[in-house]
Amino acid sequence: MSSSHWVAPVADAPVDATVPLPGSKSMTNRALILAALAEGPGTVVRPLRSRDTLLMADALRGLGVGIVEEDDRWRVSPNELAGPAQVDVGLAGTVMRFLPPVAALARGPVDVDGDPRSRERPMGPILAALRALGAEIDDGGRDAMPFTVRGTGAVAGGAVTIDASGSSQLVSGLLLAAPRFAKGVEVRHEGPPVPSAPHLEMTVRMLREAGAAVETGEDVWRVAPGAILGREWVIEPDLSNAAQFLGAALVTGGRVTVPGWPDGTAQPGDALRGLLARMGAEVAAGPDGLTVRGTGTFHGVDADLHEVGELTPVLAALAALAGTPSRLTGIAHLRGHETDRLAALVSEINGLGGDVRELPDGLEIRPRPLHGGVFRTYDDHRMVMAAAVLGLAVPGVEVENVATVGKTLPGFTELWGRMLTGKG
């Protein structure tokens, strides 16, 4: 075993744990953007502190926003946005799509770049949209990073049509800054369906909570110009990061409770309730949170994951351990995520003896006995989570670059270990 590999622990008994989760990355980064553009100070309570959210906070600080970290909150003081500034987006889709419209409101140049893989992620639609709305961007004709936003302190705004089939973040990025554009923004989508609709619902809901006037129709979103209110944002637990913990109950025939599960939420991770139940789990929501119990056996599922693609890696791992085949579809857009997640899952699960076939828009998974081996993660946090699930039932799964999970869930291996010992 390489010293750089983390050997995923095998469960030698049914898990029985309560696992408190850190805050939602998606909500934290939206709250930071809205707080930075507000008319007065704001607070983000129980934010996620991870690579993606720290990159967002640092990017906003670089533009002049005051962000002070306290015990369980960040205090945000809006200031006049200004360059010159250099923004590192890492591999964070929310930073690379949400920050450029904010940078267009700054006075002065803002250079935007990130990890090598970030230069391959879809950016053309949002860059073209910003140009159409009045921003000046120099990307050398690449439609990708690195690029420079040459801010003038204002953006005209207006109507724009984009193809957001690659990521809902392309729409959310435009909407979050839209109240500060002189004419607001009307975004119309033309193309295959926009994935991850719950994330768009989250954007609209949070804009309205910040005082923005938002209208929505079929593939069209309108945000009127106006003030964004400084306010307190209380961040929910990250429900997508619950997938591997709740899945552990299914694999081991045990019990896992995630406290603080919201009664109503726009987070895509809420779909875990129905998806795990369809695979054979007993799922119950109560005052203690959401509890999933495994029955000792579970089966595959035929599921369209277009709206909840981020759950795919963990669900694919569960499917590889299930009693019957699975088809996970509606997720062609995952080829443009932190890595090509479809190709990565096929390669790594099959490398452990699995039988996974790539479909035009998803995966077909036939369970087979698996064996140990190295599981590569491709700098993708959710590949780590998938490997951990497989390791519950397969001895010797060696996870390469486990530290990449810190993108959204720092301390994951400690949380995982506490769950397995009943101390979660």
Side-chain angles (χ1 to χ4, degrees):
M1 183 193 76
S2 166
S3 61
S4 63
H5 293 167
W6 175 66
V7 180
V10 176
D12 55 13
V15 296
D16 184 18
T18 297
V19 183
L21 290 179
S24 161
K25 173 205 70 176
S26 299
M27 290 187 71
T28 298
N29 275 354
R30 283 165 172 78
L32 283 172
I33 291 284
L34 291 170
L37 296 177
E39 286 204 326
T43 307
V44 183
V45 180
R46 293 198 294 273
L48 173 67
R49 286 177 167 88
S50 72
R51 187 184 187 216
D52 280 16
T53 59
L54 294 172
L55 284 168
M56 180 68 87
D58 286 345
L60 293 170
R61 287 188 185 108
L63 295 176
V65 178
I67 302 176
V68 177
E69 298 186 32
E70 297 180 355
D71 288 343
D72 70 338
R73 63 196 60 215
W74 286 343
R75 298 198 182 277
V76 183
S77 303
N79 289 309
E80 183 176 357
L81 303 173
Q86 270 122 25
V87 169
D88 176 9
V89 307
L91 199 48
T94 51
V95 185
M96 68 180 70
R97 276 70 175 260
F98 295 178
L99 210 284
V102 178
L105 291 164
R107 290 190 178 277
V110 179
D111 298 325
V112 182
D113 201 1
D115 295 357
R117 168 65 180 171
S118 70
R119 300 177 183 182
E120 302 172 31
R121 299 189 69 179
M123 288 294 294
I126 198 167
L127 298 182
L130 284 171
R131 290 188 180 103
L133 295 170
E136 182 182 343
I137 299 171
D138 178 10
D139 66 351
R142 290 182 300 273
D143 284 341
M145 286 182 282
F147 57 81
T148 299
V149 182
R150 303 196 180 280
T152 60
V155 179
V160 68
T161 299
I162 70 170
D163 178 353
S165 58
S167 173
S168 65
Q169 294 167 353
L170 300 167
V171 176
S172 287
L174 295 170
L175 299 184
L176 287 166
R180 291 283 303 272
F181 291 6
K183 301 175 189 174
V185 169
E186 176 185 289
V187 180
R188 187 174 298 275
H189 163 69
E190 287 187 0
V194 181
S196 302
H199 278 136
L200 278 172
E201 181 186 337
M202 180 188 296
T203 296
V204 169
R205 181 184 295 188
M206 292 180 71
L207 275 164
R208 287 173 174 158
E209 290 172 352
V214 187
E215 297 178 8
T216 64
E218 186 173 354
D219 285 338
V220 63
W221 301 264
R222 298 181 186 89
V223 179
I228 296 174
L229 305 178
R231 52 159 291 164
E232 179 178 272
W233 296 99
V234 179
I235 305 302
E236 299 171 358
D238 194 314
L239 306 188
S240 294
N241 278 343
Q244 60 277 7
F245 298 102
L246 298 177
L250 211 60
V251 174
T252 68
R255 186 272 315 175
V256 172
T257 298
V258 173
W261 198 282
D263 291 332
T265 180
Q267 289 193 61
D270 197 43
L272 286 166
R273 301 190 202 212
L275 287 164
L276 296 180
R278 287 171 59 190
M279 297 185 82
E282 296 175 358
V283 182
D288 294 335
L290 188 78
T291 296
V292 169
R293 296 181 186 276
T295 60
T297 60
F298 63 102
H299 43 77
V301 67
D302 189 338
D304 183 339
L305 302 180
H306 187 71
E307 307 292 351
V308 293
E310 64 205 56
L311 303 180
T312 300
V314 167
L315 289 173
L318 289 171
L321 300 173
T324 58
S326 295
R327 283 176 64 90
L328 308 178
T329 57
I331 45 178
H333 60 284
L334 296 191
R335 295 186 173 98
H337 276 221
E338 282 82 345
T339 185
D340 178 340
R341 282 183 174 162
L342 300 186
L345 288 164
V346 169
S347 175
E348 300 314 303
I349 296 175
N350 287 355
L352 303 181
D355 183 3
V356 185
R357 184 170 69 90
E358 192 168 338
L359 305 173
D361 71 336
L363 299 171
E364 184 175 71
I365 303 166
R366 297 182 179 278
R368 289 178 53 181
L370 302 180
H371 55 72
V374 174
F375 193 101
R376 292 173 297 170
T377 57
Y378 308 87
D379 295 324
D380 187 337
H381 55 136
R382 301 211 185 276
M383 291 295 287
V384 175
M385 299 168 186
V389 169
L390 292 169
L392 290 170
V394 181
V397 175
E398 301 180 20
V399 185
E400 171 261 346
N401 189 18
V402 71
T404 197
V405 78
K407 182 178 190 296
T408 56
L409 190 52
F412 166 71
T413 55
E414 292 79 6
L415 267 177
W416 195 249
R418 289 201 298 272
M419 174 194 70
L420 289 173
T421 58
K423 299 176 182 176

